[in-house]
Amino acid sequence: MRFVFWIVGLFALAVLIGLASTLNTGYAILFVPPYRMEVSFNLLIITVVVLVLVAYAVLRLLGLAANLPQEVRAFQRQKKLRAARHALREASISLFEGRYQRAEREALKSIDDEYSDENRALALMIAARSAASVGDNAKRDGYLSRLENMPQRIQLARHMVEAQIRMDAKQPLEALAAIERARAISSNLTSALRLELKIRMLLKQPEQVLQITEKLLKADALEAEQARRYRLAAYRQQLLGLGSEREVRDWLKRIPGVEKQNPDLVVDISRHLIALDTYPLAAELIATALSDEEQATPELARELGMLAEHIDSQRRLTLMRDAENWLKSRPRDHMLLLALGRLALAEQLWGKAQSYLEASVSMQPTLCAHAELSKLFATLGKDDKAAQHQALALKIALQQGC
C-alpha cells in the first residue's frame, strides 16, 4: 500500500511540475564571448538541480573513499570485540560446567581484544579460578597479580575470588588476608562474613567465630540451627584450652544459659572435666542436664555411669535417688538403667545393681551392661554367670568390629 502511495505521489508531482513549466515561458541567455546561447528557464533550473545533485554525489563518494581505511579498522575492531565477548561467554559456561582448561583458554582469548576493564577483570578471575582448579598455582598467582592494576570497582570481586581460591587450596591465612581486604571495602558483606566464619573455624579462633556468628544471625544470613552448630564448635575449641577446674568454672559463667543446656556440649564438658580429674563438677553438670526432660540424652546417662567409681559415697547415693526419679518418666532408657547399675555396683548394693543391669540388658543388650554384669557375678562368686555375660560382651564387641 505504501508503494502505491509513493507512485501516485510521484506522478502527481510530475504533473504539477509539467503544469508549472507551461506557466513559465521565460528563457535565460548565456553569454560567453564570442558565443551567445538562449535556453529555456525551466531547463536551466533542471540543469542546476542536476548539477548540485551530481556534485553532492561526487563529494559523498570522495568522503567515503577517504574514510574507508578507518571504517575497515573499526569493522575489524568490532569483529574482534564480538569474538572476545563470545569467548568470555564460553569461558563462563565452561567454568560452570567444570571444564576448567577450556574455560582458562577461552578467558585468555577474550582479554587482548576487550576494551572494557570489567570484562577483562572477569576474564582474569575466570582464568585464575580455572587454573586453581587444575592445580596450576603459578598461573593462578599470575592472573591474580594482574588484577591488582584493575580499577577500584573491581577490587572487591577480586578479593572475594582470591579468598575462595586460597580457601580451596587449604591456605587459610592467605584467605583470611584476602577477606580482610574485602571487608575493608565492604564491611557488612554477608558472603565475606560467611567465608571468614569458615576460615576462623579452620584457624581455631573461637572468639572470632562467636562474634561473626552473632553478626550473621542478626543479619538473617544464618539459620538458627547453623548458628547453634558453629557456637558448639567454638565452645569445644575454647574448652580444649582450659587446664583447670577454676578456668572451666569461669568459662561456664561466660556461656549463655541456653547454650549450657546443649546436651552435646555438656557431654564434652564432662569428658574434659574427667580428663582433669574434676569429677564432682562433671557429676553436677550431668545431673543438672539429666533433670531436664528436653535436655536428657542417653549419652549423658552413659557419662553419669562412667563417674560412678570416681565420686564419693554421699554423692553417689544422691545421684541414685535423683536417677530413680528420672527413671519414672523414662522407664525404657537403657543407658539410665546402666548408670544406676554402675552407681549401685560402686556402692556395693549388689541386688540393686543386678536388677538395674539386667533391666538395661532386657531393654537393649550392650557390651557395657554385659561387662558390668560379668564383673558383678564374678564379685559374688557366680563364675558361670560371669562367664556367660563375658561371652555375650565379647560377641557384641566382635559384632561391632572390635
Side-chain angles (χ1 to χ4, degrees):
M1 182 62 73
R2 183 178 298 178
F3 177 74
V4 174
F5 285 142
W6 274 103
I7 294 297
V8 172
L10 288 174
F11 274 107
L13 180 63
V15 170
L16 290 175
I17 293 174
L19 292 175
S21 65
T22 59
L23 297 176
N24 184 6
T25 58
Y27 63 92
I29 298 176
L30 300 177
F31 181 72
V32 179
Y35 302 102
R36 177 179 175 178
M37 182 183 300
E38 294 183 1
V39 295
S40 169
F41 191 70
N42 293 328
L43 179 61
L44 180 62
I45 292 173
I46 294 172
T47 303
V48 170
V49 170
V50 170
L51 288 175
V52 170
L53 293 175
V54 170
Y56 173 78
V58 171
L59 292 175
R60 181 68 175 169
L61 289 174
L62 291 175
L64 290 174
N67 291 330
L68 188 60
Q70 184 178 354
E71 293 291 334
V72 171
R73 287 193 296 270
F75 172 77
Q76 290 176 344
R77 283 198 301 270
Q78 287 297 321
K79 183 179 179 181
K80 291 180 179 180
L81 181 60
R82 285 194 297 270
R85 298 281 169 87
H86 176 74
L88 183 60
R89 289 193 296 271
E90 290 297 317
S92 302
I93 294 172
S94 298
L95 178 66
F96 290 118
E97 290 176 343
R99 302 162 67 184
Y100 300 116
Q101 292 179 339
R102 185 172 185 271
E104 181 184 359
R105 186 170 59 251
E106 294 295 330
L108 293 177
K109 285 182 184 178
S110 69
I111 293 176
D112 295 335
D113 297 322
E114 177 61 68
Y115 63 85
S116 171
D117 289 332
E118 288 81 0
N119 287 345
R120 291 176 61 222
L122 179 60
L124 284 171
M125 286 187 282
I126 291 174
R129 185 72 191 216
S130 301
S133 298
V134 298
D136 195 336
N137 296 334
K139 285 186 177 181
R140 176 202 68 189
D141 294 339
Y143 299 139
L144 291 175
S145 64
R146 291 173 65 179
L147 285 167
E148 295 179 3
N149 301 322
M150 291 294 170
Q152 183 64 27
R153 183 176 179 274
I154 307 299
Q155 297 307 310
L156 178 58
R158 168 212 166 192
H159 295 319
M160 290 300 297
V161 169
E162 182 178 0
Q164 188 62 62
I165 288 175
R166 301 295 185 187
M167 185 70 174
D168 294 341
K170 308 300 181 184
Q171 297 174 323
L173 292 175
E174 291 81 356
L176 182 59
I179 283 293
E180 289 174 346
R181 292 193 293 269
R183 290 194 61 192
I185 300 173
S186 179
S187 59
N188 294 320
L189 186 64
T190 54
S191 59
L193 285 172
R194 282 176 177 273
L195 190 54
E196 184 179 358
L197 181 61
K198 297 177 182 179
I199 296 170
R200 298 286 185 184
M201 284 294 299
L202 285 177
L203 293 175
K204 296 183 179 180
Q205 298 175 346
E207 288 77 13
Q208 289 81 357
V209 169
L210 293 173
Q211 293 174 3
I212 297 172
T213 299
E214 294 306 317
K215 285 184 180 180
L216 289 172
L217 200 58
K218 290 179 181 178
D220 292 330
L222 200 65
E223 296 292 335
E225 180 60 26
Q226 289 179 313
R228 189 191 70 82
R229 289 198 297 268
Y230 278 118
R231 287 197 197 100
L232 179 60
Y235 291 140
R236 282 171 172 167
Q237 289 180 355
Q238 288 180 332
L239 184 62
L240 293 175
L242 305 178
S244 67
E245 178 182 357
R246 184 183 186 86
E247 291 180 357
V248 174
R249 288 185 180 275
D250 293 339
W251 174 71
L252 286 171
K253 293 176 183 178
R254 299 194 301 268
I255 298 179
V258 176
E259 299 299 330
K260 283 192 287 190
Q261 294 175 0
N262 188 327
D264 295 332
L265 182 60
V266 173
V267 169
D268 291 334
I269 297 172
S270 64
R271 289 174 178 172
H272 188 73
L273 289 170
I274 291 171
L276 296 174
D277 296 334
T278 312
Y279 304 110
L281 180 56
E284 178 185 342
L285 291 174
I286 293 173
T288 302
L290 285 172
S291 63
D292 188 342
E293 291 291 333
E294 295 182 357
Q295 192 178 356
T297 62
E299 288 75 17
L300 285 170
R302 180 180 179 276
E303 294 300 319
L304 180 64
M306 298 294 290
L307 290 170
E309 295 181 354
H310 302 286
I311 54 180
D312 56 63
S313 177
Q314 183 179 357
R315 191 176 296 274
R316 274 197 297 265
L317 292 173
T318 302
L319 287 174
M320 283 185 66
R321 286 194 299 269
D322 293 338
E324 286 170 350
N325 291 328
W326 304 331
L327 193 61
K328 294 176 183 178
S329 59
R330 303 192 292 273
R332 301 188 64 81
D333 189 339
H334 70 282
M335 280 296 180
L336 186 56
L337 288 166
L338 175 60
L340 274 166
R342 281 174 163 167
L343 289 169
L345 192 60
E347 278 296 304
Q348 298 183 3
L349 301 173
W350 312 124
K352 279 193 172 185
Q354 180 178 349
S355 175
Y356 287 130
L357 291 172
E358 288 179 345
S360 176
V361 168
S362 66
M363 298 294 178
Q364 177 69 45
T366 60
L367 186 152
C368 293
H370 282 297
E372 294 294 343
L373 280 170
S374 177
K375 178 181 176 182
L376 171 62
F377 287 126
T379 303
L380 297 176
K382 299 179 181 181
D383 296 335
D384 293 341
K385 287 189 175 182
Q388 179 183 356
H389 285 286
Q390 187 177 11
L392 291 172
L394 179 60
K395 180 180 178 182
I396 294 175
L398 292 173
Q399 289 175 348
Q400 293 176 351
C402 293

